Amino acid sequence: MTRNRKTWKELPTRLSAAHRSLVTALREIRECSPRTQADIAKDANQEPTTLSNHLNGVRIPDITLLRDFYAVVEKDASAAGRGPLPHTLETLYKLRIQAKERHCDCCAVGHPAAAEPPGQQQPASPAVANPGLARARRLRRRVRRREFSVPRKPDGVPVPLAEGDRHPAESVELSWPEIKMVAGYLADSRHHDAGFLLWRAGATYSALDIVRAVASCRSAGLHEAAEAILINVAERTDRQAVLNAAAALGDAGRHEDVAFILSAATRTTE
């Protein structure tokens, strides 16, 4: 197969042989796409810096990111008529498992530049040290896959017939016009449509409108929808807009939402 030969950075000297094999395979696959690395990363639901870290041996990719990256390049190669990729997804999974194995105390799996001397305890990962960060990372992956849960009605509480098929948003006073539409989409399992509205709120709204949208979702019991908005805010490239939203949430007394958005804005490899 004809590939786009790139000039790659030299891999870190401390990289294990298994991790080096994984990175080499990832690079060979990446060369099968004629598009830019930034475009590949965007379609694979990850930051360009994250993909760059994977291709330069800085981090070992999460299985979800590995799968999404492979699917995007495979689609590009097929559209360009370049035939099958040089490695199967199953091969990458096996290489990843081998790269994750810790062979001795001097190995720093997934982060070669941060090896600790033998016998010295390594600090906990950011996700372990910060439970809010761990939750934000888990929910970020669910938001990308348009997976949301709808609050269940309490068992044993009768619902009047006239209100039996009301959506959660209809029972409270709400200030975000789209909340009823979001609740309706979620109730009908139209997660992609709901996800688009939540993405648009987080990615384009002003700070005050974000406060209204998040408060409305919380009032309707749609807490994952509220956090999806916060995640989309945190992923804005305009970091000042993120700070403005956090400040507006703080002024509104929504301190837990401030903590969540700051955790979600922490850029660590998933």
Side-chain angles (χ1 to χ4, degrees):
M1 178 198 307
T2 302
R3 299 201 297 265
N4 299 327
R5 293 293 180 182
K6 291 175 57 66
T7 301
W8 296 101
K9 293 181 180 179
E10 185 176 352
L11 294 178
T13 56
R14 294 182 179 178
L15 217 62
S16 68
H19 193 177
R20 190 176 296 271
S21 296
L22 173 62
V23 174
T24 300
L26 290 175
R27 288 178 171 184
E28 290 175 351
I29 289 173
R30 186 268 172 268
E31 289 177 344
C32 295
S33 172
R35 297 196 298 157
T36 66
Q37 204 153 290
D39 287 339
I40 295 173
K42 180 180 179 181
D43 286 354
N45 300 314
Q46 56 184 284
E47 294 292 327
T49 52
T50 299
L51 179 56
S52 178
N53 285 340
H54 298 160
L55 294 172
N56 289 308
V58 180
R59 297 281 184 180
I60 296 176
D62 177 84
I63 289 179
T64 301
L65 298 182
L66 186 65
R67 181 194 63 205
D68 292 347
F69 162 74
Y70 189 92
V72 170
V73 177
E74 186 176 42
K75 183 178 179 181
D76 289 348
S78 177
R82 297 187 175 183
L85 299 183
H87 304 280
T88 66
L89 186 57
E90 289 71 20
T91 298
L92 292 185
Y93 286 160
K94 292 178 181 178
L95 290 174
R96 179 183 179 276
I97 292 174
Q98 295 169 2
K100 294 283 286 184
E101 291 180 356
R102 188 183 181 90
H103 300 288
C104 61
D105 290 337
C106 62
C107 292
V109 176
H111 203 331
E116 298 288 344
Q120 181 174 341
Q121 184 178 4
Q122 295 190 9
S125 67
V128 173
N130 184 351
L133 172 60
R135 172 169 171 74
R137 288 171 57 179
R138 289 194 301 271
L139 186 56
R140 182 184 289 119
R141 288 192 288 269
R142 297 183 61 188
V143 167
R144 289 169 176 168
R145 295 193 296 266
R146 300 290 192 264
E147 295 178 356
F148 305 96
S149 62
V150 181
R152 296 178 59 187
K153 296 175 182 177
D155 295 332
V157 178
V159 179
L161 293 178
E163 302 177 0
D165 56 356
R166 283 188 177 183
H167 296 309
E170 295 179 350
S171 61
V172 291
E173 184 177 353
L174 304 168
S175 59
W176 183 36
E178 281 81 2
I179 184 60
K180 291 184 179 180
M181 189 175 297
V182 169
Y185 284 153
L186 293 177
D188 295 337
S189 297
R190 294 172 61 181
H191 295 159
H192 184 84
D193 294 326
F196 174 76
L197 292 178
L198 298 173
W199 169 83
R200 186 176 64 182
T204 66
Y205 279 13
S206 67
L208 292 180
D209 286 339
I210 288 168
V211 173
R212 295 190 187 98
V214 170
S216 295
C217 288
R218 297 288 192 196
S219 297
L222 302 176
H223 298 292
E224 287 194 358
E227 291 170 356
I229 294 175
L230 296 176
I231 284 175
N232 288 315
V233 172
E235 292 187 340
R236 287 190 179 187
T237 55
D238 183 353
R239 308 315 286 168
Q240 185 59 51
V242 179
L243 295 176
N244 291 343
L249 289 165
D251 291 342
R254 311 196 69 85
H255 303 298
E256 290 186 1
D257 289 331
V258 173
F260 185 88
I261 198 174
L262 294 179
S263 293
T266 302
R267 299 291 182 172
T268 57
T269 304
E270 299 179 83

